[in-house]
Amino acid sequence: MSKPDWSAFKGAKGRIRRLRILGSTEKPMYKPPPEEECHCETFVFHPTGRENDPIKLHVRFMQYQGKIVDFSINQVFVLDGISHDIARIDTAHGTIHRHQFFPRRQQVRTVITEIPVDDGWNVVDKGYDNALDVMQDEWDDNLRRWNSDRA
């Protein structure tokens, strides 16, 4: 057997390109059931309880067989008629993770937990209640972080 010719795999700068190989060892990622098979809801409420407050939580979730299988909880601040994302906890990319947004610098993304493929529905379902509690309890801290970057 002859040696492989690695020059065929080198990119423009002479580095070896990483090729995806069939049967790759990448671990599978959690994906919720198709949206058309789920019950989806979206609602908005004020964590302060005051209707005219500029702080809002936008909640979206998908429910399948009695369990929350996908969600996103966004904290929004309305300033001069413009909505600004302040923080979010969601289930995209196979993880439950949170985002802290800032007006002038890049967002900070923190993974809370990986969502296992085999028990994902249960993890997401439990994670939804926890995430909703966190976003209701920490809205003022999130806003303070966002405002500290505006000055």
Side-chain angles (χ1 to χ4, degrees):
M1 182 170 176
S2 64
K3 287 186 167 187
D5 178 14
W6 289 107
S7 63
F9 297 99
K10 292 191 184 230
K13 296 188 178 186
R15 287 181 281 208
I16 295 176
R17 291 184 280 166
R18 298 196 189 279
L19 300 176
R20 189 170 193 172
I21 299 170
L22 292 176
S24 169
T25 58
E26 288 181 27
K27 63 181 185 177
M29 187 170 58
Y30 170 79
K31 289 186 173 89
E35 193 171 335
E36 53 273 0
E37 295 179 20
C38 297
H39 169 74
C40 301
E41 278 195 48
T42 302
F43 58 93
V44 176
F45 71 96
H46 300 270
T48 61
R50 296 184 303 265
E51 279 301 309
N52 294 331
D53 204 304
I55 300 294
K56 298 177 184 180
L57 290 181
H58 292 230
V59 179
R60 177 204 52 81
F61 66 84
M62 290 180 7
Q63 196 171 26
Y64 183 76
Q65 294 184 359
K67 295 192 182 285
I68 305 286
V69 294
D70 186 54
F71 68 83
S72 174
I73 304 166
N74 294 20
Q75 180 183 347
V76 176
F77 177 59
V78 179
L79 179 65
D80 298 329
I82 300 170
S83 293
H84 300 274
D85 285 329
I86 303 298
R88 174 173 60 230
I89 299 178
D90 66 77
T91 57
H93 316 297
T95 63
I96 297 175
H97 58 276
R98 72 181 295 154
H99 301 262
Q100 176 68 50
F101 297 100
F102 300 97
R104 295 203 265 177
R105 59 185 165 120
Q106 193 168 6
Q107 67 173 292
V108 174
R109 183 177 179 272
T110 307
V111 173
I112 297 168
T113 187
E114 297 279 329
I115 304 171
V117 174
D118 59 340
D119 193 35
W121 294 357
N122 290 322
V123 170
V124 172
D125 191 57
K126 289 176 187 165
Y128 172 77
D129 290 331
N130 292 335
L132 196 54
D133 288 345
V134 165
M135 292 298 277
Q136 289 181 71
D137 294 344
E138 297 181 5
W139 67 265
D140 53 343
D141 293 332
N142 295 333
L143 182 60
R144 191 174 17 264
R145 282 187 209 103
W146 186 83
N147 272 322
S148 71
D149 191 55
R150 276 188 342 141

